[in-house]
């Protein structure tokens, strides 16, 4: 399976992890790439207007992506990120071959690598491969970006993506 991870620090700290099975990756990527406007390198949900956000969410809810939310809003941001990465790694351990794609943030890259390295070894998750990519390098990072934004925003935005969310984890 492929898992794409992004965060939001708006109204707390939460991470969305979008799970896409291998047979669905190509079609999902085609759909998400098709949502980019001419000249747009990537979808960045916070920079879209509300009408465009609704259009994107409508398309995404039709995809075969399942999302888990990791909410560590009660913790300091640096600790919250660690807790989310630890929980994701633990959840993915033992699920067989997994490719974990995280949006690259150079300011915490070394920290993230250390946490993931330690957790993969702790849980014996030898089939877990993790990579860091920029959002314009992997369009499927737009899915957790959009879902995390909507979830944190709450109200009708959260309702719009609830059908995609399988589980929430309060850390």
């Amino acid at each position: 399976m492929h898992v794409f991870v992004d965060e939001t620090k708006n109204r707390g700290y939460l991470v969305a992890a979008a799970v896409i099975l291998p047979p669905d990756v190509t079609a999902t990527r085609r759909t998400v790439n098709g949502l980019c406007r001419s000249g747009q390198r990537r979808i960045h949900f916070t920079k879209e207007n509300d009408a465009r956000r609704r259009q994107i969410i409508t398309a995404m809810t039709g995809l075969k992506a399942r999302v888990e939310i990791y909410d560590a809003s009660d913790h300091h941001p640096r600790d919250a990120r660690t807790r989310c990465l630890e929980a994701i790694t633990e959840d993915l351990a033992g699920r067989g071959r997994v490719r974990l794609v995280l949006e690259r943030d150079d300011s915490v890259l070394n920290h993230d690598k250390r946490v993931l390295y330690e957790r993969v070894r702790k849980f014996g998750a030898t089939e877990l491969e993790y990579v860091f990519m920029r959002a314009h390098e992997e369009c499927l990072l737009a899915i957790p970006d959009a879902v995390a934004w909507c979830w944190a925003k709450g109200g009708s935005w959260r309702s719009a993506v609830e059908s995609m969310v399988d589980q929430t984890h309060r850390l």
Side-chain angles (χ1 to χ4, degrees), residues 14 26 30 42 69 74 80-83 90 92 100 109 114 117 133-134 136 141-143 156 163-164 166:
L14 64 87
T26 301
R30 189 177 313 116
R42 72 178 191 116
I69 302 289
D74 293 338
R81 185 175 186 87
T82 300
R83 288 178 182 262
E90 184 174 0
L92 294 175
L100 177 63
L109 183 61
R114 181 183 48 76
Y117 178 84
M133 300 179 80
R134 303 213 184 276
H136 70 273
L141 287 165
I143 297 171
S156 63
S163 65
M164 296 177 71
D166 280 344

Coordinates of all heavy atoms in Angstrom, one line a residue, residues 14 26 30 42 69 74 80-83 90 92 100 109 114 117 133-134 136 141-143 156 163-164 166:
L14 N -2.5 18.5 13.5 CA -2.9 17.1 13.1 C -2.3 16.7 11.8 O -1.9 17.6 11.0 CB -4.5 17.1 13.1 CG -5.3 17.9 12.1 CD1 -5.4 17.2 10.8 CD2 -6.7 18.1 12.7
T26 N -2.3 4.7 -10.0 CA -2.2 5.4 -11.3 C -3.5 6.2 -11.6 O -3.4 7.4 -12.0 CB -1.9 4.4 -12.4 OG1 -0.7 3.7 -12.1 CG2 -1.8 5.1 -13.7
R30 N -3.8 10.3 -11.8 CA -4.3 10.9 -13.0 C -5.4 11.9 -12.7 O -5.5 13.1 -13.2 CB -4.9 9.9 -14.0 CG -5.2 10.4 -15.3 CD -5.7 9.3 -16.3 NE -4.8 8.1 -16.3 CZ -5.2 6.9 -15.9 NH1 -6.4 6.7 -15.5 NH2 -4.3 5.9 -16.0
R42 N 1.1 22.4 -8.4 CA 0.5 21.5 -7.4 C -0.8 22.2 -6.9 O -1.0 23.4 -7.0 CB 1.4 21.2 -6.3 CG 1.7 22.4 -5.4 CD 2.6 22.1 -4.3 NE 2.7 23.1 -3.3 CZ 2.3 22.9 -2.0 NH1 1.8 21.7 -1.6 NH2 2.5 23.8 -1.1
I69 N -6.8 10.2 10.5 CA -6.4 11.5 11.1 C -5.7 11.2 12.5 O -6.1 10.4 13.3 CB -7.6 12.4 11.4 CG1 -8.4 12.6 10.1 CG2 -7.2 13.7 12.1 CD1 -7.7 13.5 9.1
D74 N -3.0 18.7 21.6 CA -2.8 19.0 23.0 C -1.3 19.0 23.3 O -0.9 19.3 24.5 CB -3.4 17.9 23.9 CG -5.0 17.9 23.8 OD1 -5.5 19.0 23.4 OD2 -5.6 16.9 24.1
A80 N 4.3 17.1 19.1 CA 3.1 16.6 18.4 C 3.5 15.9 17.1 O 3.0 14.9 16.8 CB 2.2 17.8 18.1
R81 N 4.5 16.5 16.4 CA 5.0 15.9 15.2 C 5.6 14.5 15.5 O 5.3 13.5 14.8 CB 6.0 16.8 14.5 CG 6.4 16.3 13.2 CD 7.3 17.3 12.5 NE 7.7 16.9 11.1 CZ 6.9 17.1 10.1 NH1 5.8 17.8 10.2 NH2 7.3 16.7 8.9
T82 N 6.4 14.4 16.5 CA 7.0 13.2 16.9 C 5.9 12.1 17.2 O 6.0 11.0 16.8 CB 7.9 13.4 18.1 OG1 8.9 14.3 17.8 CG2 8.5 12.1 18.6
R83 N 4.9 12.5 18.0 CA 3.9 11.6 18.4 C 3.1 11.1 17.2 O 2.7 9.9 17.1 CB 2.9 12.2 19.4 CG 3.6 12.4 20.8 CD 2.6 13.1 21.7 NE 3.2 13.3 23.0 CZ 3.0 12.4 24.1 NH1 2.3 11.4 24.0 NH2 3.6 12.7 25.2
E90 N 3.8 2.9 14.0 CA 3.3 1.8 14.7 C 2.0 1.2 14.0 O 1.9 -0.1 13.9 CB 2.9 2.2 16.1 CG 2.4 1.0 17.0 CD 2.2 1.4 18.4 OE1 2.4 2.6 18.8 OE2 1.8 0.5 19.2
L92 N 1.4 1.2 10.8 CA 1.8 0.6 9.6 C 2.6 -0.7 9.7 O 2.7 -1.5 8.8 CB 2.5 1.6 8.7 CG 1.7 2.8 8.2 CD1 2.5 3.8 7.4 CD2 0.5 2.3 7.4
L100 N 5.6 4.8 2.4 CA 5.2 6.0 3.2 C 5.8 7.2 2.6 O 7.0 7.3 2.5 CB 5.6 5.9 4.7 CG 5.2 7.0 5.6 CD1 3.7 7.2 5.7 CD2 5.8 6.7 7.0
L109 N 13.5 17.8 8.7 CA 13.8 16.6 7.9 C 14.7 15.6 8.8 O 14.4 14.4 8.9 CB 14.5 16.9 6.6 CG 14.9 15.8 5.7 CD1 13.7 15.0 5.3 CD2 15.6 16.3 4.5
R114 N 15.2 10.6 12.0 CA 15.6 10.0 13.2 C 14.4 9.2 13.8 O 14.5 8.1 14.2 CB 16.2 11.0 14.2 CG 16.7 10.3 15.5 CD 17.2 11.4 16.5 NE 16.3 12.5 16.7 CZ 15.2 12.5 17.4 NH1 14.8 11.4 18.0 NH2 14.5 13.6 17.6
Y117 N 13.4 6.2 11.6 CA 14.4 5.2 11.7 C 14.3 4.4 13.0 O 14.3 3.2 13.0 CB 15.8 5.8 11.6 CG 16.9 4.8 11.7 CD1 17.4 4.1 10.6 CD2 17.6 4.6 13.0 CE1 18.4 3.2 10.8 CE2 18.6 3.7 13.1 CZ 19.0 3.0 12.0 OH 20.0 2.1 12.1
M133 N 9.2 13.8 0.0 CA 9.0 14.5 -1.3 C 8.4 15.8 -1.2 O 7.6 16.0 -0.3 CB 8.2 13.6 -2.3 CG 8.8 12.2 -2.5 SD 7.9 11.2 -3.6 CE 8.4 11.9 -5.2
R134 N 8.7 16.7 -2.1 CA 8.0 18.0 -2.1 C 6.6 17.8 -2.8 O 6.5 16.9 -3.6 CB 8.8 19.0 -2.9 CG 10.2 19.2 -2.3 CD 10.7 20.6 -2.4 NE 12.1 20.6 -1.9 CZ 12.4 20.8 -0.6 NH1 11.5 20.9 0.3 NH2 13.7 20.9 -0.3
H136 N 5.1 19.3 -5.1 CA 5.0 19.3 -6.6 C 5.7 18.1 -7.2 O 5.5 17.8 -8.4 CB 5.7 20.6 -7.1 CG 7.2 20.7 -7.0 ND1 7.8 21.1 -5.8 CD2 8.2 20.3 -7.8 CE1 9.1 21.0 -5.9 NE2 9.4 20.5 -7.1
L141 N 0.1 14.0 -2.6 CA 0.2 14.7 -1.3 C -0.9 15.7 -1.2 O -1.1 16.2 -0.1 CB 1.6 15.3 -1.1 CG 2.7 14.3 -0.8 CD1 4.1 15.0 -1.0 CD2 2.6 13.7 0.6
A142 N -1.5 16.0 -2.2 CA -2.6 17.0 -2.2 C -3.8 16.4 -1.4 O -4.6 17.2 -0.9 CB -3.1 17.4 -3.6
I143 N -4.0 15.1 -1.4 CA -5.1 14.5 -0.7 C -5.0 14.7 0.8 O -5.9 15.3 1.4 CB -5.2 13.0 -1.1 CG1 -5.5 12.8 -2.6 CG2 -6.3 12.3 -0.2 CD1 -5.5 11.4 -3.1
S156 N -18.8 22.6 8.0 CA -19.2 22.0 6.7 C -18.0 21.4 6.0 O -18.1 20.5 5.2 CB -20.0 22.9 5.8 OG -19.1 24.1 5.5
S163 N -16.6 11.3 4.7 CA -16.7 10.0 4.1 C -15.4 9.3 3.7 O -15.3 8.1 3.5 CB -17.6 10.1 2.8 OG -16.9 10.9 1.8
M164 N -14.3 10.1 3.6 CA -13.0 9.6 3.3 C -12.2 9.1 4.6 O -11.3 8.4 4.4 CB -12.2 10.7 2.6 CG -12.7 11.2 1.3 SD -11.7 12.6 0.7 CE -10.2 11.7 0.2
D166 N -11.5 7.1 7.8 CA -11.8 5.8 8.4 C -11.7 5.9 9.9 O -12.5 5.3 10.6 CB -10.9 4.7 7.9 CG -11.3 4.2 6.6 OD1 -12.4 4.4 6.1 OD2 -10.5 3.5 5.9

